[in-house]
Amino acid sequence: MTTRASGRDNGRPTTERVQSIFATLAPDYDRFNKLSSLGVDRSWRKRTVSMARLNRNSVVLDLAAGTGDLTMALAEQGKPASVLSTDFVPEMLDVAREKAAAYKGPTRIDFTAADAQDLPFEDESFDVVTIGFGVRNLPDRAANFREVHRVLKPGGRYVVLEMSRPPFVPFRAVYHSYLHNVIPAIGDKVTGRRDSFEYLRDSILQFPGQVALAGELHKAGFREVTWRNLTFGIVAVHVAVK
Ligand SMILES: C[S@@+](CC[C@H](N)C(=O)[O-])C[C@H]1O[C@@H](n2cnc3c(N)ncnc32)[C@H](O)[C@@H]1O
C-alpha cells in the first residue's frame, strides 16, 4: 500500500480528532463531497440503498450519518418503514435534520446522537444497519462490528459503503496521485482546513482493502460477507449478513 509523503499516524482516527474535524467541516461537507467525487457520490449511495434490499416494513439504522445524504437516499429510494439517523457530531446531524424537514415520503425519519462503537439500542432491534464513509473514521472497528451484530435481527444486513482499494494497479497509481495532489487542495479551497483533508487522504490510504475488511466482518460473527466494487474499486459496498 502506498503511503507516500504520509506518516502512518496522520490517517489514524481518534475520537477527539474526528469530532473536531467534522464539527468544523459541517457547513462545507456536502460541497466538498460533490467536488471531490465529481458528483459520483450520489450514485454510490444509490447502489448502497439497492444492496440493502429494503421493503416497506424494514426498520433501518444509519450510523455516522453526518449531513444525512445516505439517510435521505434510504428514505427516498428504499422507502422503508423507518430510518434512525445517528452521528456523534451534532453540527453534522443539524444539516441532516434540515434535509429531512423537506421530505414528504412514507418513511419515518428520526435522529439521535450515538457513538457507532457503543450503540444505545436493544439487541435485535433493526432489519438493516448502514454506514456511509464512517467505518474509516472509527478508532475501534471491531467494537462497531460487534455492536452492529448485536443490534441486528437474525438475518439482518450490515451495509458498509467505504473508500477502498482499486484492484487494477495502474489505475490505483493514478488514483493515489489524485488523492495526494487534489484532495487536500480542494479541501483547502472549500474550507481553508488543509490539515483535515490530509487526514482524510491518509485515512483512505491506510484503510484495509476489500478482502481484509470482509475478514474483519466475518471475525465479528457475520455468517456471510460479500462486496461490490464501484468506480473501479475506489469505493466498495460490503454486505454482511447476521
Ligand atoms: C465522512 S462523514 C459521512 C457522512 C455520511 N454518512 C455520508 O454518507 O456522507 C463521516 C461521519 O462519521 C461520523 N463519525 C465518525 N466517528 C463516529 C463515531 N464513532 N460514532 C458516530 N459517528 C461518527 C462523523 O461525525 C461524520 O459525520
Side-chain angles (χ1 to χ4, degrees), residues 167-189:
F168 184 54
V169 174
F171 177 77
R172 192 193 305 164
V174 173
Y175 168 59
H176 282 187
S177 159
Y178 171 81
L179 284 178
H180 277 285
N181 298 312
V182 182
I183 290 290
I186 296 180
D188 195 17
K189 200 153 184 66

Side-chain angles (χ1 to χ4, degrees), residues 18 22 29 33 45 64-66 70 87-89 92 114-117 132-134 137-138:
V18 169
F22 285 103
Y29 175 81
N33 249 350
R45 291 193 185 81
L70 183 54
D87 201 284
F88 72 173
V89 172
M92 293 289 277
D115 185 332
Q117 300 157 125
F133 308 115
N137 292 297
L138 303 175

Side-chain angles (χ1 to χ4, degrees), residues 119-198:
L119 298 175
F121 309 117
E122 301 282 316
D123 296 358
E124 303 187 1
S125 309
F126 299 96
D127 299 295
V128 172
V129 179
T130 57
I131 187 163
F133 308 115
V135 164
R136 204 179 66 244
N137 292 297
L138 303 175
D140 190 352
R141 273 196 300 280
N144 167 257
F145 295 166
R146 271 196 311 274
E147 279 291 83
V148 172
H149 191 271
R150 178 181 69 75
V151 303
L152 273 173
K153 297 177 188 171
R157 297 162 79 77
Y158 188 24
V159 186
V160 179
L161 166 66
E162 191 49 91
M163 306 306 291
S164 198
R165 192 167 308 164
F168 184 54
V169 174
F171 177 77
R172 192 193 305 164
V174 173
Y175 168 59
H176 282 187
S177 159
Y178 171 81
L179 284 178
H180 277 285
N181 298 312
V182 182
I183 290 290
I186 296 180
D188 195 17
K189 200 153 184 66
V190 174
T191 70
R193 293 284 311 265
R194 191 180 180 91
D195 54 332
S196 298
F197 293 89
E198 287 170 348

Side-chain angles (χ1 to χ4, degrees), residues 14-26:
T14 64
T15 296
E16 298 70 32
R17 183 181 206 176
V18 169
Q19 284 181 323
S20 147
I21 287 175
F22 285 103
T24 316
L25 211 58

